[in-house]
Amino acid sequence: MVDIPYQEVTGIPPAEVADVELYHPRSWWTRYVFSQDAKVIAVQYSITAMAIGMVALVLSWLMRLQLGFPGTFSFIDPSQYLQFITMHGMIMVIYLLTALFLGGFGNYLIPLMVGARDMVFPYVNMLSYWVYLLAVIVLAATFFVPGGPTGAGWTLYPPQAILSGTPGQDWGIVLMLASLILFIIGFTMGGLNYVVTVLQARTRGMTLMRLPLTVWGIFTATVMALLAFPALFVASVMLLLDRLLGTSFFMPTLVEMGQQLKYGGGSPILFQHLFWFFGHPEVYIVALPAFGIISDLISVHARKNIFGYRMMVWAIVAIGALSFVVWAHHMYVSGMHPYFGFFFATTTLIIAIPTAIKVYNWVLTLWRGDIHLTVPMLYALAFIITFVNGGLTGLFLGNVVVDVPLSDTMFVVAHFHMVMGIAPIMAVFGGIYHWYPKVTGRMLNEALGKFHFWVTFLGAYAIFFPMHYLGLLGVPRRYHDIGETAFIPASAHDLNAFMSVAALIVGFAQLVFVFNMIWSLMKGKEAGGNPWGATSLEWQTPETPPGHGNWGKELPVVYRWAYDYSVPGATRDFVPQNEPPAGLMAQGVHP
Amino acid sequence: MAVAIILLLVAVASVLFHIYSPWWWTPIASNWRYIDDTINITFWITGAVFFAVIAFMAYCVFRFHHKEGRRAAYNPENKKLEWWLSIGTGIGVAAMLAPGLIVWHQFVTVPADATEVEVMGQQWQWSYRLPGKDGRLGTSDARHVSSENPMGLNLDDPYGKDDVVIQDDLHLPVGKPVKVLLRSIDVLHDFYVPEFRAKMDMIPGAVTYFWFTPTRTGTFEVLCAELCGVAHAQMRSKVIVQEEREYHAWLEKQRTFAELSEQRGVAKAAYKADSE
Amino acid sequence: MSAIILYMAGLAAIAGWWLSQQRLAAKPWLEEGVIADSRGEALPSAKVGLGVFLAVAGSLFALLISAYSMRINMADWRTLPVPRLLWFNTGVLVVSSVALQWAYMAARRNDLEDVIVGLLAGGASAVTFLIGQLLIWQQLNVTGYFLASNPANAFFYLITAAHGLHLIGGLVALGRTTAKVWRGVEMIRLRLSVELCAIYWHFLLLVWLVLLGLLTGWTDDFVDICRRLLT
Ligand code: HEM
Ligand SMILES: [Cu+2]
Ligand SMILES: [Cu+2]
């Protein structure tokens, strides 16, 4: 057989982007620590995010212990409770989920899925991780400074956030803001990489419409994050100036504990606008990568192409764009001009339509599929349940007048935990069970995985589904103890105790997961290159785990979309993206 | 099989929980029954969608789980189906949004005959003020706050002199619309009475409002629904809704701002005289 | 928040235009084989990266402008006098931009000497601008316009600082480009570095002009006139 160069066969010019000059590590340090290889950076990001996430998990136990059995745990006082919710919320949303989806999954999967050797700016990519690590360290340091971490709530609303009635006024809030500023700088460095890599480094034949939805999700989320994080940046810098140098960007004239402060004239609402201009897109920054991952998991494990791929792509783009014009639905009862309510309720409910389309397409993908109930598939199913549940309660809170009684109650807490807490976590777990074999070359243990799945899913559902009803009843959020309140029946305390027990069980199940990750690293079943029979490029690498530069000598060439499963007439039930069509095969082109 | 059943059970259990839940909203005590109605409509629509999606999913898992020799169908898209689903969703969304916006319009349109009541939040207590005989509240500013003038009324404003400053709980007459003016002198708070359904944040440096009509008499607990510092959960008070006659009897006993300042002034003078 | 919304609308228009070139309506399952990629003419990754970064920086400034225009409506705002030096600095920044443009054109002509002159002139004038900005701060401080005494002052310091920091970042890149000249890097690669510096400088100049309009109140007048024309 003669090897014919691709150009002659296909008539297309060679890759427009010159093969990247790869940076080659020279020592152990530059290979594993100060590495510029996106795969190593991805693992570093993931481990750091999960480590700090464990802290947030432990904090959630402590909060649940306090809520379930108020007064029993005397070491948790009201100000500590506030510190716990603040740190828990901030860590979960930003330092765990954002970092894990974009820095972890994004770094690992983007270059592999688009057929690149690495990110386009590897050095900046490495810096991104180290700045992120610094941000995490600064954040963790607040536990040890005098006064402890801030207790301002993860929304950090002024004036309260920087006054002495809130714990952590001395150091906590300052370090929190500093850490956020660092995080944003670090993220921007990484984000530039993810976006430009998708734009520039796709291999030959990889058109946008051939990208796996995971890449679409992460790409769109990154674009949104790049544009939304500056709002948090500006708000943090201004709040920091108010706190440290006495400016009055956000601080009105006020009397604190009988004392006139020197602030005056500022606008607390301005902060809220800036915060939510970031905060709402943030919800989708953790949701879109999850959407993408779930689409791919369902497709692979149901051995069926994703239903309505084009709609899925359009929906991702539409959601990304729309989510910049809904931010004030978090401010319906903030005292902003009431007429904004009409506009923001309408935009918010409109977003429900592309989101619903995604859900329909997931379940329609299952229809007449060949559903393998692997652990990733189970997580995908659980994602759909929790996401649909949380998305539907979002229709309550987005519909301005319904939000009036429900805002700032446990209904809100239940809603956002379902939709941006549990659902994305399901996607994270599903993704880890799915791609762990590629990262390590070994499978995670299936029995442990199933145990972990059922306890986590059913347990988390048992915590957060009933919680909605406490909110309906009128229990406000951020209360360390609802105490003696006439309208709250005694049975509500029992429900609280039940949710706390469920939370503890769910928490301990995570230890099983950690154990599984470590144990399988050494003892897991050998995975081979493509254990799930998947089509996308990351499963077609010459080595598993992929080597430095990912692809050996030649970059892969892409001949088809990422969802050729169970194609009629094909011998196997999947056709890899880089498998040439029959005509080209005959001419001697190899995959 | 087992997986399909568990998935279905999750949906069924959710619905049963909803129906039998002893935890439900407090009996309403204001005119905002419409809000409850809108929530109910939303529950019906979303509940149906939730159950349908999960049940469909469970069915797929039951019917199409992997067996030897099964091969999935090849079905990239179905434009018609997708359009119908989108349109159906659009209709469902409109069915929730339309009543929502109509009720919101009522919520932000204060009736002309509403009487004003001022609620002031500060860490961590509530204070109330009613307009006096002139029917108008005097202006105020956090700058004027002092131990003699804890609500920060503007001493030069004649309208403020006859304002009724309430020393403990707020009383309201039943059946009369009230416009609640909200302000704060330190941080954000939120005047929240679950039975009234309405609430709104209070912002230092600004006056916000909402309106409602109390529809039944009784004593209702006031909570704070916007994080305001360590004692946020303990920031309590009461609203007592009474028949017109009882309300007036109570109102008679209240003191005006001028009377209170005089009293304070006298007390202070006496104290000064003593210490001299 | 109208500034940032307008800015986002602009970005959305660009993104929409770009996506419209990407055959998003294609049915990928029908297209087997290698499709010629619709990536347009080849842009160097560094240039695309710079473009994305400018979008991010632009969003930062648009948000600052939004915050400014919301805060200015509060009662305690006392506009501060426009320091004369501001005009001089603006002129220097224009010179800096022109010098870099000149360096870029020289790079296209393969005229190394002019490149060096252009880079040095651009760098020197940028440093002059920064020193000028510091002098303005000092003048304001001496005349009692402290950071915390009025929100107008606070915004003035904040916005000039944000702009200045971006310029300092640019100077680092400019320094590295100059070092490349020193090391005798081949012209093709040098050309790209010089071009990127020039683009960044033009961007910062544009941002500065917008900010200047904001800080001197011209934008207000302009918006007023527009409003009057419309009604
Ligand atoms: C089993 C897991 C979890 C449990 C038991 C849990 C529990 C809690 C509790 C008890 C609160 C405080 C509620 C209150 O008093 O207002 C809370 C707040 C919060 N949680 Fe979680 N949580 C969990 C997972 C997550 C995840 C995965 C996220 C990621 C998005 C998350 C994000 C938040 C946020 C943003 C807040 C609000 C903090 C604030 O009010 O400032 N949680 N959580
Ligand atoms: Cu939102
Ligand atoms: Cu409070």
Side-chain angles (χ1 to χ4, degrees):
Chain A
M1 233 197 267
V2 225
D3 273 348
I4 308 172
Y6 291 113
Q7 283 116 285
E8 282 177 35
V9 180
T10 60
I12 63 151
E16 286 140 349
V17 180
D19 217 358
V20 228
E21 276 172 60
L22 268 191
Y23 170 84
H24 293 288
R26 279 186 220 97
S27 68
W28 184 87
W29 280 98
T30 48
R31 182 179 300 266
Y32 295 110
V33 183
F34 297 103
S35 169
Q36 303 187 12
D37 186 328
K39 296 186 292 299
V40 179
I41 297 173
V43 173
Q44 292 173 326
Y45 250 114
S46 307
I47 292 178
T48 312
M50 285 197 258
I52 193 76
M54 283 310 234
V55 175
L57 181 71
V58 171
L59 291 176
S60 81
W61 291 347
L62 295 175
M63 295 182 303
R64 273 311 336 168
L65 282 178
Q66 164 63 25
L67 289 178
F69 314 96
T72 317
F73 299 91
S74 52
F75 61 94
I76 306 175
D77 60 28
S79 68
Q80 266 170 331
Y81 184 80
L82 291 183
Q83 294 172 322
F84 293 167
I85 61 166
T86 307
M87 295 304 275
H88 162 84
M90 198 64 103
I91 292 175
M92 285 288 189
V93 173
I94 293 187
Y95 298 84
L96 172 70
L97 286 178
T98 308
L100 190 55
F101 273 129
L102 303 180
F105 284 88
N107 260 317
Y108 202 88
L109 295 175
I110 289 175
L112 282 165
M113 283 185 157
V114 304
R117 295 207 182 276
D118 204 331
M119 291 286 183
V120 284
F121 314 121
Y123 182 74
V124 182
N125 203 22
M126 173 185 83
L127 276 188
S128 160
Y129 170 71
W130 292 102
V131 178
Y132 164 66
L133 183 66
L134 185 62
V136 170
I137 291 172
V138 172
L139 183 81
T142 62
F143 283 107
F144 306 102
V145 293
T150 175
W154 87 285
T155 46
L156 305 178
Y157 281 179
Q160 171 259 130
I162 59 174
L163 293 183
S164 61
T166 299
Q169 188 227 12
D170 297 331
W171 285 90
I173 183 70
V174 173
L175 290 183
M176 168 66 87
L177 293 169
S179 170
L180 286 174
I181 289 171
L182 284 172
F183 180 91
I184 295 166
I185 294 173
F187 170 77
T188 305
M189 296 180 184
L192 284 176
N193 261 293
Y194 318 150
V195 170
V196 180
T197 303
V198 174
L199 292 179
Q200 292 287 99
R202 280 172 283 133
T203 187
R204 276 184 292 165
M206 184 61 96
T207 61
L208 285 188
M209 291 310 269
R210 281 177 171 176
L211 288 174
L213 286 168
T214 301
V215 177
W216 268 108
I218 295 178
F219 173 71
T220 315
T222 309
V223 172
M224 290 169 59
L226 283 173
L227 297 175
F229 269 121
L232 183 61
F233 189 87
V234 169
S236 302
V237 170
M238 284 161 65
L239 192 54
L240 203 55
L241 290 176
D242 278 4
R243 164 69 184 75
L244 291 178
L245 301 180
T247 54
S248 296
F249 289 112
F250 304 128
M251 299 298 278
T253 312
L254 58 86
V255 183
E256 198 200 24
M257 318 281 166
Q259 205 75 46
Q260 297 271 357
L261 299 192
K262 59 188 191 316
Y263 296 116
S267 160
I269 295 270
L270 171 57
F271 179 89
Q272 299 183 19
H273 277 298
L274 290 173
F275 183 87
W276 289 112
F277 190 82
F278 141 79
H280 185 81
E282 171 64 31
V283 175
Y284 283 97
I285 291 165
V286 303
L288 289 185
F291 288 177
I293 290 170
I294 291 303
S295 306
D296 285 351
L297 296 191
I298 291 188
S299 174
V300 173
H301 296 272
R303 315 306 299 153
K304 188 160 170 268
N305 60 57
I306 191 79
F307 182 81
Y309 175 83
R310 299 191 296 164
M311 276 281 203
M312 294 300 248
V313 171
W314 301 340
I316 287 183
V317 175
I319 292 171
L322 278 174
S323 63
F324 278 101
V325 287
V326 299
W327 78 89
H329 63 209
H330 298 270
M331 299 167 60
Y332 289 146
V333 296
S334 71
M336 66 172 179
H337 195 290
Y339 278 41
F340 287 155
F342 293 107
F343 175 76
F344 284 101
T346 310
T347 51
T348 302
L349 291 222
I350 287 176
I351 282 207
I353 299 174
T355 312
I357 291 174
K358 299 201 71 84
V359 173
Y360 301 144
N361 286 1
W362 289 323
V363 293
L364 287 171
T365 304
L366 296 174
W367 180 251
R368 295 171 62 201
D370 172 20
I371 301 172
H372 292 247
L373 290 170
T374 55
V375 181
M377 183 53 139
L378 291 176
Y379 272 109
L381 298 175
F383 170 88
I384 296 178
I385 296 191
T386 48
F387 183 77
V388 168
N389 190 299
L392 290 172
T393 49
L395 293 173
F396 289 69
L397 299 172
N399 199 354
V400 50
V401 81
V402 176
D403 181 61
V404 170
L406 296 179
S407 66
D408 280 306
T409 66
M410 290 312 266
F411 190 92
V412 175
V413 177
H415 154 72
F416 70 68
H417 274 93
M418 277 287 186
V419 79
M420 76 170 304
I422 303 309
I425 290 283
M426 295 290 124
V428 164
F429 285 137
I432 291 177
Y433 281 92
H434 184 75
W435 280 295
Y436 187 89
K438 182 50 65 176
V439 181
T440 63
R442 289 173 189 274
M443 307 293 283
L444 280 168
N445 181 292
E446 170 121 7
L448 286 180
K450 287 200 166 148
F451 173 79
H452 173 227
F453 166 75
W454 286 113
V455 177
T456 307
F457 166 53
L458 293 178
Y461 198 80
I463 307 170
F464 292 113
F465 185 77
M467 194 185 276
H468 292 94
Y469 292 83
L470 287 186
L472 271 180
L473 180 64
V475 179
R477 72 189 276 204
R478 293 166 169 171
Y479 270 34
H480 67 286
D481 183 358
I482 40 181
E484 294 294 308
T485 308
F487 67 86
I488 296 175
S491 60
H493 297 282
D494 303 336
L495 183 61
N496 254 328
F498 167 78
M499 295 191 297
S500 297
V501 173
L504 290 180
I505 297 175
V506 169
F508 281 110
Q510 306 319 307
L511 299 181
V512 177
F513 172 68
V514 173
F515 170 78
N516 195 353
M517 294 243 282
I518 296 169
W519 184 82
S520 302
L521 197 58
M522 294 158 304
K523 297 275 167 60
K525 208 169 68 188
E526 294 273 353
N530 190 359
W532 311 115
T535 59
S536 45
L537 285 183
E538 81 273 24
W539 298 103
Q540 324 303 336
T541 52
E543 301 161 55
T544 297
H548 187 62
N550 294 349
W551 304 107
K553 272 227 296 294
E554 287 265 5
L555 284 176
V557 178
V558 169
Y559 298 97
R560 61 192 74 245
W561 71 331
Y563 298 96
D564 263 346
Y565 291 99
S566 305
V567 182
T571 40
R572 289 182 298 177
D573 69 351
F574 70 103
V575 190
Q577 279 191 282
N578 61 344
E579 185 168 306
L584 286 184
M585 287 271 242
Q587 295 182 40
V589 175
H590 306 299
Chain B
M1 187 65 191
V3 175
I5 291 177
I6 298 179
L7 293 183
L8 190 65
L9 274 182
V10 168
V12 172
S14 303
V15 173
L16 289 180
F17 186 97
H18 177 83
I19 294 171
Y20 293 107
S21 163
W23 307 287
W24 194 243
W25 54 49
T26 47
I28 193 164
S30 79
N31 58 321
W32 293 120
R33 182 147 293 132
Y34 294 127
I35 296 185
D36 287 2
D37 295 342
T38 316
I39 299 185
N40 269 328
I41 297 177
T42 316
F43 259 124
W44 278 106
I45 297 178
T46 55
V49 173
F50 177 73
F51 193 82
V53 170
I54 311 298
F56 181 82
M57 198 167 98
Y59 177 74
C60 289
V61 171
F62 163 72
R63 177 73 183 64
F64 303 112
H65 73 258
H66 177 67
K67 282 208 201 85
E68 226 15 73
R70 165 164 283 144
R71 196 159 169 147
Y74 187 77
N75 182 15
E77 70 177 23
N78 180 341
K79 271 268 108 71
K80 223 159 139 207
L81 178 61
E82 286 173 83
W83 275 114
W84 278 118
L85 284 172
S86 313
I87 291 170
T89 311
I91 293 172
V93 163
M96 291 179 280
L97 182 62
L101 291 187
I102 292 170
V103 180
W104 178 247
H105 184 73
Q106 295 172 359
F107 190 81
V108 298
T109 320
V110 186
D113 61 338
T115 49
E116 295 189 337
V117 175
E118 184 191 72
V119 180
M120 189 190 92
Q122 79 193 79
Q123 285 172 336
W124 287 277
Q125 66 195 42
W126 304 100
S127 335
Y128 307 100
R129 178 162 66 115
L130 304 175
K133 296 262 161 11
D134 59 4
R136 275 183 76 160
L137 284 166
T139 51
S140 62
D141 192 309
R143 242 171 309 180
H144 306 313
V145 173
S146 64
S147 57
E148 286 93 67
N149 184 2
M151 288 187 88
L153 296 200
N154 184 351
L155 297 179
D156 301 331
D157 187 346
Y159 291 118
K161 293 274 185 283
D162 64 345
D163 288 358
V164 179
V165 176
I166 297 168
Q167 306 282 318
D168 52 20
D169 298 331
L170 176 66
H171 292 234
L172 291 174
V174 68
K176 285 268 170 63
V178 272
K179 178 178 185 183
V180 189
L181 297 171
L182 303 159
R183 68 188 174 93
S184 158
I185 54 164
D186 44 32
V187 304
L188 304 178
H189 300 278
D190 189 309
F191 183 72
Y192 175 43
V193 179
E195 287 88 347
F196 295 159
R197 302 297 186 262
K199 66 156 109 58
M200 192 57 71
D201 278 8
M202 348 183 62
I203 309 168
V207 179
T208 55
Y209 68 90
F210 66 80
W211 79 274
F212 72 103
T213 310
T215 50
R216 70 181 163 90
T217 55
T219 302
F220 304 102
E221 211 149 343
V222 178
L223 290 82
C224 178
E226 184 65 76
L227 181 56
C228 55
V230 249
H232 170 52
Q234 278 95 2
M235 188 166 160
R236 306 291 176 102
S237 169
K238 286 199 176 63
V239 177
I240 297 158
V241 178
Q242 294 169 307
E243 296 296 344
E244 187 87 33
R245 204 161 27 83
E246 294 162 44
Y247 172 74
H248 278 292
W250 168 80
L251 192 59
E252 292 297 295
K253 289 204 231 92
Q254 302 308 308
R255 313 287 277 279
T256 65
F257 177 63
E259 285 167 0
L260 283 172
S261 327
E262 213 167 280
Q263 204 176 34
R264 281 206 193 89
V266 170
K268 207 162 158 197
Y271 174 78
K272 272 216 184 114
D274 267 6
S275 56
E276 262 165 42
Chain C
M1 300 294 278
S2 40
I4 182 70
I5 289 293
L6 270 175
Y7 179 79
M8 288 289 167
L11 283 188
I14 296 173
W17 169 82
W18 178 77
L19 283 171
S20 73
Q21 321 266 299
Q22 301 293 321
R23 304 177 55 251
L24 287 200
K27 298 185 173 171
W29 54 93
L30 299 179
E31 301 178 331
E32 211 183 43
V34 182
I35 326 174
D37 214 313
S38 40
R39 233 169 287 178
E41 89 264 37
L43 284 175
S45 293
K47 207 166 167 180
V48 177
L50 179 66
V52 178
F53 177 72
L54 293 188
V56 176
S59 147
L60 180 81
F61 286 109
L63 281 156
L64 279 173
I65 293 172
S66 278
Y68 183 92
S69 51
M70 280 172 81
R71 186 66 177 82
I72 199 172
N73 293 325
M74 310 296 278
D76 62 334
W77 189 277
R78 303 274 171 279
T79 311
L80 74 177
V82 181
R84 283 265 189 75
L85 201 49
L86 218 50
W87 305 115
F88 173 75
N89 284 354
T90 307
V92 172
L93 196 62
V94 172
V95 170
S96 187
S97 224
V98 169
L100 284 185
Q101 182 64 25
W102 195 62
Y104 168 58
M105 289 185 331
R108 297 219 345 211
R109 293 194 311 266
N110 281 335
D111 183 343
L112 192 62
E113 240 150 73
D114 278 10
V115 171
I116 296 179
V117 174
L119 289 179
L120 292 181
S125 41
V127 172
T128 314
F129 171 83
L130 287 173
I131 295 174
Q133 296 288 78
L134 283 177
L135 280 178
I136 290 180
W137 281 14
Q138 202 214 347
Q139 284 179 4
L140 285 177
N141 244 322
V142 170
T143 41
Y145 293 95
F146 304 116
L147 174 76
S149 47
N150 194 273
N153 312 356
F155 265 106
F156 185 88
Y157 286 102
L158 177 65
I159 287 178
T160 48
H163 181 264
L165 284 175
H166 277 79
L167 195 60
I168 291 175
L171 278 174
V172 173
L174 191 69
R176 293 180 51 158
T177 309
T178 319
K180 274 188 196 164
V181 178
W182 233 252
R183 276 188 279 122
V185 170
E186 50 191 311
M187 200 46 140
I188 304 189
R189 290 179 46 201
L190 196 59
R191 203 179 287 155
L192 180 63
S193 300
V194 177
E195 186 185 2
L196 296 185
C197 287
I199 295 176
Y200 188 62
W201 248 249
H202 300 338
F203 168 79
L204 284 184
L205 176 63
L206 182 73
V207 168
W208 176 247
L209 293 178
V210 173
L211 295 179
L212 192 68
L214 189 77
L215 295 173
T216 53
W218 289 350
T219 325
D220 274 359
D221 302 344
F222 179 71
V223 169
D224 255 11
I225 293 171
C226 290
R227 209 170 277 152
R228 236 169 282 153
L229 284 181
L230 283 176
T231 52

